[in-house]
Each structure stands twice: as structure tokens, then as C-alpha cells.
Amino acid sequence: MSNKTRVAIVTGASRGIGKAAALRLARDGMSVVVNYAGNATEAGKTVAAIQEAGGRAFAVQADVADETAVAALFDATVREFGGVDAVVNSAGIMRLGLLAEFSLSDFDQIHRTNVRGTFVVAQQAARHVRSGGAIINLSTSVERQALPTYAAYAASKGAVEAMSLILARELRGRDITVNAVAPGPVETEFFLSGKDPATVERIAKLNPMERLGQPNDIAEVISFLAGPARWINGQVLYVNGGMN
């Protein structure tokens, strides 16, 4: 499938997996809208990298849980690029802690971004994505691992998976695929924060490849789902080097 005239919105695209996905989709030939929550400098670097490689991109600030801001994000995309063909829900936050001791304030923040944010973006995607398009939500492999301290985060991603599978069926007849990508541990600032080297090494060895994933490992799968993978729909794809 040619992506030359196709358009993608990538949320949380200023850093990490979101940035890698934006760069990869641009390399595939798509025009890319780089969404960010607050780091305009990093979002600008993503846009600059795409433009320097000959691609088309611009950045839009929007809190993914704010329905008015997200509607404006989609409206800006349509005005600038004429439509929307792929939406990658990459924005997310993670807080860790034992369930019995977990801050309910942190719990609410996680669910505001990861659950409400995915719902709000998916709602606009369902209204705007053109025939032949794709909606790709980011989940996590840790949900299957049932690791202590991940209860709040894994619960939010369980909700993301449920939404993805149901939306795929609700879009019956429109030739739009909806899937969730569930990465294992990926070497990003998001993952490394708060972990000592021994913990990182232990986690890296949980999969038979004995390494952490790289953002490009995940972007490769997102690219596949956003482009040629028209017969994969309503699925959760675990991208974790065989950790499960």
C-alpha cells in the first residue's frame, strides 16, 4: 500500500515510542501531525527531523484527555493535510507502587491520560479516519506478566485493549482496522526513570532475546499496522522479544 498521500496523527510524539512512530510513518511517506502535551521543544525536534528528511509534519499541543483540545487537533489536521488515515494513540503515563499503598491521586492521573485520553482520541478517530485507515492504540505486555507494583498501570492498559477490540467491531463496514500494540520493556526515558542498572538488567533478561526493546522495534509494528496489514483487525499484538 502506498502511503504517499496518507496522513497520520501520533499522540505523545515528542519522545520515546511516539517519536519513533512519527519518524517511521514519515519515512513510509505519510504526512505526520506530531501531538504533544507540554514539551514543545522536543515536539519541534521531531517535526524538524521529519522535514529535514523531506517529509511533511507539524506539531499540535493537546491534552489527550481534553475533548475540546483533541477535536481541535483533528480539525487542524484536516485543514492542513485534507484528512486523517492513521491515528496512533501513544500518549501515556506510568506510576508504580503496591496496590495497598498506591496514591489514589496517581491512580486518577494514570486513568485520565491512559484511559480517558485513549477514549477521547479514539472517539475523534472513529469520526474522522478515512476508509482504508487504521487506529493503533498502545497497551503493554506487563498486563500479562502480573508484575507487582504495576496494578494501576496495567489496569489502565487493560481498558485500552477492551476499547480497541470493541471499536474494531463498531467500525464494521468502513474498512478501518483497530488494533492494540503491547510492547515489552523498551529503552526509553519513560521506562528507565527510577530504575537502577541492576533492575534494568534483570528486566532485560526476561525475554529470550536478553535485551530491552528499542523504540524502533515498536515503530516497525505500528508502521505495518498503519500500512499493509489490512487483514489484522481487533487484535492485541505483543511486541516483547518473546517475554510472554
Side-chain angles (χ1 to χ4, degrees), residues 85-232:
D85 300 287
V87 175
V88 180
N89 261 313
S90 182
I93 63 172
M94 179 169 60
R95 305 278 189 275
L96 303 181
L98 296 174
L99 188 149
E101 302 167 1
F102 202 80
S103 160
L104 291 180
S105 175
D106 284 348
F107 181 88
D108 289 342
Q109 288 179 26
I110 289 170
H111 281 255
R112 184 180 186 277
T113 298
N114 297 2
V115 180
R116 179 184 169 93
T118 298
F119 191 96
V120 169
V121 173
Q123 191 172 64
Q124 288 294 327
R127 295 170 182 172
H128 286 89
V129 170
R130 297 183 284 206
S131 177
I135 300 169
I136 302 154
N137 298 321
L138 269 291
S139 181
T140 177
S141 288
V142 79
E143 185 191 354
R144 297 176 83 181
Q145 295 294 308
L147 298 176
T149 75
Y150 280 86
Y153 179 68
S156 74
K157 293 303 188 175
V160 168
E161 292 184 10
M163 283 187 277
S164 303
L165 305 190
I166 291 169
L167 182 57
R169 287 150 181 80
E170 290 182 348
L171 296 181
R172 174 184 290 272
R174 290 182 53 188
D175 189 26
I176 297 170
T177 62
V178 186
N179 294 287
V181 173
V186 176
E187 192 173 2
T188 63
E189 180 184 340
F190 183 78
F191 168 77
L192 294 173
S193 177
K195 296 182 177 70
D196 59 66
T199 299
V200 172
E201 183 178 2
R202 176 179 58 79
I203 293 173
K205 291 185 179 299
L206 289 176
N207 69 76
M209 308 295 286
E210 295 192 337
R211 69 170 177 87
L212 294 176
Q214 297 300 311
N216 285 337
D217 292 325
I218 314 305
E220 183 176 56
V221 177
I222 291 170
S223 168
F224 180 57
L225 293 173
R230 301 310 303 163
W231 199 233
I232 300 176

Side-chain angles (χ1 to χ4, degrees), residues 19 22-23 26-27 41 43-58:
K19 179 173 184 174
L23 294 173
R27 197 175 83 199
T41 300
K45 290 178 182 178
T46 305
V47 170
I50 291 171
Q51 292 176 340
E52 287 167 8
R56 300 174 67 207
F58 70 98

